[in-house]
Amino acid sequence: MQQTFDDTGIKRRPMLKAAIAIGAAPLGLAIAAPLVGALITNPGKDPITTAWKEGIRLVRDDGTPIQPGDMHTGSIETVFPGIPDGNTNKYADSPTLLIHMRPEDAAKVKVQPGYETAHYGDYFAYSKICTHAGCPASLYEQQTQRLLCPCHQSQFDLLESCKPVFGPASRRLPQLPIKLDSAGYFVAQSDYRVPIGPALWEHPDNDK
Amino acid sequence: MISLPKINPAEIPEQAASWADDRFAAASPVRKLMNKVFPDHWSFMLGEIALYSFIVLLLSGTFLALYFEPSALEVKYAGSYTPLYGIEMSRAYETTLNLSFDVRGGLIMRQIHHWAALLFMAAMVVHMLRVFFTGAFRRPREINWVVGALLFIMGFFEGFAGYSLPDDAISGTGLRVMSAIMQSTPVIGTWFTFSVFGGEYPGTEILPRLYIAHVLLLPGLILGLIAVHMGLLVKQKHTQYPGPGRTEKNVVGVRMVPNFSAKAGGFFMVVFGMIAFLGGVFQINPVWIFGPYTAAVVSAGTTPDWYVAWSDGALRLFPDWEIYIGPYTIPAMFWPSAFLMGAVFSMLIGYPFLEARLTKGLRPPQPASAAPGRTRADGAGRDGDRLHHRVLLMSAGNDIIAEKFDISLNAMTWIGRIGLLLAPPIAYYITYRLCLGAQQGDRITLAHGVETGIIRRLPNGEFIEIHQPLGPADSHGHSELEYSGWAVPKKMNRLGALGNAAKGFFVPLEKPGEAPVSPAPVDQRELTRSDD
């Protein structure tokens, strides 16, 4: 009998210790559950959606809508969804850059497949939230046609539909499809088609 | 008339002491504590600086807590700083502005708090370097190293929580980056981030939660860990440099009462005064210039406090390597942030055990016998680690460096990337060679003796320098002393030949001691005479 036990190679003391540990683990979990449980929040669709929807106007910080012709060529403007509190941190994922490119630059833009009608003339709209760490990618280099994020220096090439060309970012700034509404103001065609901001585990579009 | 019993003031202390001893039996432990000996070497004050800055942090933080409200409630600013008048902002930012402009003494308290936090972290880092390079973390003191490492890590997050609270443009951006870091964690990242923020970033929950962490949970943990740190220190005794009369069982230095307590009390005042001077004279974190945090606004030159900067530098340098596993993504950002922090902190905590395992039997376990000479070469590897940190730290300021020195930003990024990989091995190699060279120099001195600086001309015209052997020498003047790993005297005054160097930085604090009768060779007088 003893021989059989020895043959298994299982020592009594470590075996007992392991058994106690396995037995105590659920007890620990039971104590932790109510403390942690209250904190747990289901992300739902929030990480991959923004406030933009079809027909929502692109408005400035002061709430005024924008028409073609309001902006000089080669200029950018930060726009927000034209909804109540659209420019506040309640919609921190929605700030967008509306760019009026110079006609000669706009002609050179390599549009992504599926985005042929996403821009309006020389006006392009891209998410302002950097796809690296979520800072606003807000520095516009008019001469090189690049957007630069001041936090970690990711650079996006406007001529390639905001493809990252330098630095740590690995994804494009998503493009917001835009059009004009009946009054002649810029509105969104839809929400962004890919999630904005930093990458995440459940990223539905995992090919840049 | 009631006659009061006569009180002899001279007896009050004794009476009070015996009153207390009758009730708490305190005499014996208090005597033990009062007699605790502290080593008398300057490097032992580094940990003290950290302790004293923490006391300053508690005092100034309590003041700030009376006026600060960690609320994301939107308000219109109506305080006395006119450039922001009428601007929408969070209550947290508004109360920070009020602290700076409308609370009497509020601004200096804020600045003292911030400077003290920087000093707290700096003192901890330097203290850790002392412990690290003298090997004081080795058996039997590994656990106190772990406690110290936890203190540093707690301080890291405590500091981060603290400078995220004002909700200005820079702290909000820092928090945004932190949320992206949490979100980059594989599998649990998204749920974890939403649970911490109570919903989508930024939400309204994060400021009150950070506040409780900053003023209650983390300081409580830090206080508790400090108590353990001190307790273990008293129980296990200080380490000390080897020297005459010093063993692993004793400590040579001054007693707690009266010498050390007087010194430490004075030193606390010096640290407090220094922090107050910094807080009063040097502006730090002028949040009113940055403006309130909004997700769409950021300024160039956004950098975290220095002790967090290494992680920000890593974020800037790591390439865009995303990994895909089926339908899931491991964001490139995971590696230089959450993974790197975890790895660095685990290495920090586990170092004593890792080293013990890797150098089994090679190394004396205890510091008094593990003298610097023998461990010189080990230090080389650690220099390499520090250089990693230096490069990352520098990269956190790469845009500022690029602007000030007019270097291309992209070039700075590449300098950082290449430097991160190349600089540590190069530094390791150089330090290693220097250490071997120093050891070789010591061996030569042991064999040939100390140079006396006395040149003698032999009858055949040859010039020789006279050496003072360090031990019994053979006919050639060579000793057979074994290299023992401790510093070797290389100058005659180390041998007591010329008296000790006078103390004092600008002017001598004391008269130089009378030089003892020099063991110089007899014909020295003749040599000097011939110079006349």
Side-chain angles (χ1 to χ4, degrees), chain B residues 328-386:
Chain B
Y328 298 110
T329 305
I330 299 177
M333 197 182 170
F334 170 66
W335 305 108
S337 58
F339 179 81
L340 178 77
M341 261 186 234
V344 167
F345 291 155
S346 318
M347 273 295 290
L348 193 65
I349 293 173
Y351 191 83
F353 310 103
L354 192 72
E355 192 203 54
R357 175 158 295 198
L358 292 180
T359 59
K360 220 172 218 166
L362 286 179
R363 198 185 296 271
Q366 289 163 354
S369 40
R374 190 174 300 171
T375 50
R376 266 181 184 158
D378 318 328
R382 299 173 200 149
D383 269 11
D385 299 339
R386 282 195 305 164

Side-chain angles (χ1 to χ4, degrees), chain A residues 1-8 12:
Chain A
M1 189 65 186
Q2 188 62 40
Q3 183 65 35
T4 326
F5 275 130
D6 291 347
D7 284 351
T8 61
R12 188 182 295 173

Side-chain angles (χ1 to χ4, degrees), chain B residues 84-158:
Chain B
L84 289 176
Y85 193 83
I87 303 272
E88 296 248 336
M89 58 181 63
S90 66
R91 178 82 181 124
Y93 185 62
E94 188 198 28
T95 51
T96 311
L97 290 178
N98 289 346
L99 257 169
S100 308
F101 294 108
D102 296 302
V103 175
R104 197 168 293 125
L107 181 59
I108 190 174
M109 281 296 186
R110 265 196 61 225
Q111 303 208 130
I112 283 178
H113 196 67
H114 206 131
W115 275 116
L118 298 190
L119 191 66
F120 177 55
M121 295 304 290
M124 277 202 288
V125 168
V126 188
H127 172 62
M128 279 174 110
L129 290 177
R130 193 275 289 174
V131 171
F132 194 77
F133 285 105
T134 58
F137 59 87
R138 292 189 186 129
R139 190 163 69 86
R141 298 186 179 82
E142 308 99 317
I143 297 302
N144 223 13
W145 168 267
V146 171
V147 172
L150 289 175
L151 274 169
F152 174 79
I153 296 166
M154 296 290 155
F156 180 90
F157 288 110
E158 172 73 346

Side-chain angles (χ1 to χ4, degrees), chain A residues 36 38-50 61 78-80 87-96 128-139 141 146 148-153 155 164 166-171 196-208, chain B residues 74 88 167 173 176-180 183-191 194-203 209 293-302 312-313 315-322 324-333 336 395 398-399 409-411 413-414 417:
Chain A
V36 177
L39 285 175
I40 289 180
T41 309
N42 187 342
K45 286 244 169 272
D46 275 349
I48 54 172
T49 56
T50 71
D61 198 18
T78 302
V79 294
F80 303 89
N87 65 342
T88 66
N89 290 339
K90 210 168 155 187
Y91 300 102
D93 53 3
S94 301
T96 298
K128 194 178 182 181
I129 309 300
C130 181
T131 55
H132 174 235
C135 296
S138 50
L139 301 181
E141 295 182 355
R146 282 184 181 186
L148 186 141
C149 176
C151 282
H152 306 107
Q153 287 95 43
Q155 290 157 35
F166 191 85
S170 43
R171 291 165 186 276
I196 64 97
L200 58 157
W201 176 248
E202 302 92 342
H203 212 291
D205 167 45
N206 71 2
D207 122 272
K208 351 173 179 171
Chain B
E74 282 280 315
E88 296 248 336
D167 203 29
T173 308
R176 180 73 182 98
V177 175
M178 187 48 97
S179 82
Q183 190 178 286
S184 73
T185 314
V187 187
I188 59 163
T190 316
W191 281 72
F194 271 68
S195 302
V196 168
F197 284 82
E200 190 169 26
Y201 174 85
R209 285 180 184 177
Y293 173 64
T294 60
V297 175
V298 70
S299 76
T302 298
D312 198 57
L315 278 180
R316 296 175 185 211
L317 295 186
F318 195 78
D320 56 342
W321 297 337
E322 268 187 4
Y324 308 113
I325 305 170
Y328 298 110
T329 305
I330 299 177
M333 197 182 170
S395 297
N398 64 351
D399 54 338
L409 187 58
N410 297 9
T413 301
W414 276 110
R417 282 175 178 172

